């Protein structure tokens, strides 16, 4: 993407839809997120809060942090599962979150 095109995106000037798709891809956002931000300036794809007029974003959960959370919860609630079963549960949960656009693809 050229610097001129990027400036147009930042300034909210019209660009082709494919440009927004590229921004979504680079940001690891679900397709259509850039367009949604333009349509609703209060929308944020990243959890955040406003404090004294400044927006603070929370970092998205990493796949590794999610795997650890699933492992800890599984051991606490279903200790009879094997390590292989827990690993399969982790992978399926991450795959489903990616399919729903809630986690970026690696």
């Amino acid at each position: 993407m050229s610097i001129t095109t990027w400036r147009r995106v930042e300034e909210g000037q019209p660009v082709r839809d494919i440009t927004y798709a590229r921004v979504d891809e680079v940001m690891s956002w679900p397709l259509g997120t850039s367009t949604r931000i333009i349509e609703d300036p209060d929308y944020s794809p990243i959890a955040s809060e406003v404090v004294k007029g400044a927006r603070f974003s929370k970092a998205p959960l990493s796949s590794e942090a999610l795997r650890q959370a699933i492992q800890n919860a599984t051991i606490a609630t279903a200790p009879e599962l094997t390590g292989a079963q827990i690993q399969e549960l982790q992978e399926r949960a991450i795959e489903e979150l990616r399919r729903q656009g809630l986690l970026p693809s690696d």
Side-chain angles (χ1 to χ4, degrees):
M1 179 178 307
S2 72
I3 190 72
T4 303
T5 302
W6 183 250
R7 281 192 191 132
R8 291 179 64 86
V9 170
E10 285 186 331
E11 293 170 0
Q13 297 179 14
V15 294
R16 296 183 304 164
D17 289 340
I18 190 71
T19 300
Y20 294 127
R22 287 186 196 143
V23 171
D24 290 343
E25 182 181 350
V26 168
M27 299 299 292
S28 297
W29 291 341
L31 189 61
T33 300
S34 295
T35 305
R36 182 165 178 199
I37 291 169
I38 291 166
E39 293 168 355
D40 179 5
D42 292 329
Y43 173 75
S44 174
I46 301 171
S48 62
E49 62 180 299
V50 176
V51 178
K52 297 182 181 177
R55 181 177 298 273
F56 293 89
S57 297
K58 298 175 185 175
L61 186 62
S62 70
S63 296
E64 191 52 45
L66 181 57
R67 281 186 180 88
Q68 188 63 50
I70 293 168
Q71 178 178 318
N72 293 346
T74 303
I75 291 170
T77 59
E80 70 280 359
L81 292 181
T82 66
Q85 289 171 317
I86 293 171
Q87 187 173 15
E88 179 67 18
L89 181 62
Q90 292 169 328
E91 294 310 314
R92 286 185 182 213
I94 289 170
E95 180 182 305
E96 178 62 20
L97 291 170
R98 285 186 177 137
R99 187 187 67 73
Q100 293 180 21
L102 300 172
L103 262 184
S105 300
D106 282 338

